[in-house]
Amino acid sequence: LSPGAKMGLFTFIKVMMILFNLAIFLGGGALLGVGIWVVVDGESFFKVFGAISTNVLQVVNVSYFLIVIGAILLILGFLGCCGAQKESKCLLMLFFTVVLIIFIAEVAAAVVALVYTGLAETLLTATVTPLLKDKFGKEPSLTQIWNVTMNELHCCGLNNYTDLTGSPWLSKYHSYPAPCCAGKEPPGSSSLLPCFLQGCFDQLLSEIRKNSGVVGGVAAGIAALEIASMVVSMYLYCRLDEK
């Protein structure tokens, strides 16, 4: 390519890098805002989005997940946008390094999920069960998420209703939540038959498997964008040397 063509290509890629990372920055800000909204007023959030809330994110406190992801995207967008705009080698290299670390972590997580599925399920149970006992009925966002989950999937707790035994909810209301019993006689009384004794674990796994193709496609798309981002940032970095 002629020097003019090379300069034109450099300018085009620089502008695309700025726009792409500006979109990432705005997206990160949106996710951060939603996460903060869930923390501050989780009830109003799930009144709006409760109908689409039956998914894998329900097993954890979605608010903090969104805040972490939003913050990471904000940082990435800032580094990429400013690095390209200011033609800063330091910021471009920092952007490349952060994306590379995230990419490696995602690949490692995918390998662990595929190879150690049983271990992942054990860890999930070991993490979520004590969380329900300690926080259900005490932390509004977690309580709302699980009430919606149990109501949509017709189940109770992760393993069964005993996951909620000793929870702040039970201490406060002296009864299991309505989704566990469909408004009928609660566990602990003379009859358990009207209640949903099965836990949500199998249903959640079924939901995950049902959407695994979509999740895999999204993950592949994200990985492709990350690779493209690293290639572009390294191209700009190397071209700055030539300039």
Side-chain angles (χ1 to χ4, degrees):
L1 292 176
S2 65
K6 287 183 179 179
M7 183 56 67
L9 179 61
F10 175 83
T11 303
F12 173 76
I13 291 179
K14 173 183 170 180
V15 171
M16 293 305 295
M17 178 83 168
I18 293 171
L19 293 176
F20 176 71
N21 282 282
L22 181 61
I24 289 178
F25 183 84
L26 294 175
L31 287 178
L32 188 61
V34 170
I36 294 172
W37 177 15
V38 176
V39 169
V40 174
D41 190 10
E43 188 173 345
S44 69
F45 176 85
F46 289 105
K47 280 180 181 177
V48 177
F49 295 102
I52 58 171
S53 61
T54 305
N55 54 56
V56 67
L57 293 182
Q58 292 172 330
V59 299
V60 295
N61 193 328
V62 68
S63 57
Y64 298 114
F65 176 83
L66 291 176
I67 288 173
V68 169
I69 297 299
I72 292 173
L73 291 178
L74 273 176
I75 294 170
L76 273 179
F78 173 80
L79 290 175
C81 196
C82 288
Q85 172 63 32
K86 297 181 179 297
E87 298 186 0
S88 169
K89 292 179 66 177
C90 179
L91 290 177
L92 286 172
M93 181 53 70
L94 191 55
F95 173 84
F96 175 87
T97 304
V98 172
V99 175
L100 180 61
I101 291 171
I102 293 173
F103 180 76
I104 292 172
E106 288 171 349
V107 171
V111 170
V112 169
L114 289 172
V115 177
Y116 300 106
T117 304
L119 176 61
E121 293 176 1
T122 302
L123 289 175
L124 178 65
T125 303
T127 303
V128 175
T129 301
L131 192 65
L132 286 174
K133 286 187 179 293
D134 295 339
K135 302 292 185 182
F136 186 80
K138 181 179 179 181
E139 191 166 325
S141 58
L142 177 71
T143 304
Q144 182 67 19
I145 289 169
W146 270 95
N147 273 330
V148 171
T149 301
M150 294 187 294
N151 191 55
E152 292 287 333
L153 299 182
H154 304 295
C155 55
C156 187
L158 185 66
N159 301 295
N160 53 53
Y161 75 96
T162 60
D163 290 341
L164 305 180
T165 303
S167 66
W169 177 284
L170 203 62
S171 301
K172 183 177 181 180
Y173 297 106
H174 306 291
S175 175
Y176 288 81
C180 285
C181 304
K184 300 177 182 178
E185 197 172 13
S189 53
S190 59
S191 173
L192 301 180
L193 295 179
C195 301
F196 299 125
L197 298 186
Q198 74 271 23
C200 300
F201 190 73
D202 290 337
Q203 288 94 321
L204 286 170
L205 285 182
S206 176
E207 288 290 320
I208 293 170
R209 293 189 182 106
K210 188 188 300 181
N211 296 291
S212 60
V214 175
V215 173
V218 171
I222 291 173
L225 285 175
E226 288 170 344
I227 293 171
S229 298
M230 287 188 287
V231 170
V232 168
S233 61
M234 191 49 60
Y235 169 81
L236 293 176
Y237 180 90
C238 295
R239 284 287 292 137
L240 287 176
D241 279 337
E242 295 178 18
K243 288 181 70 179

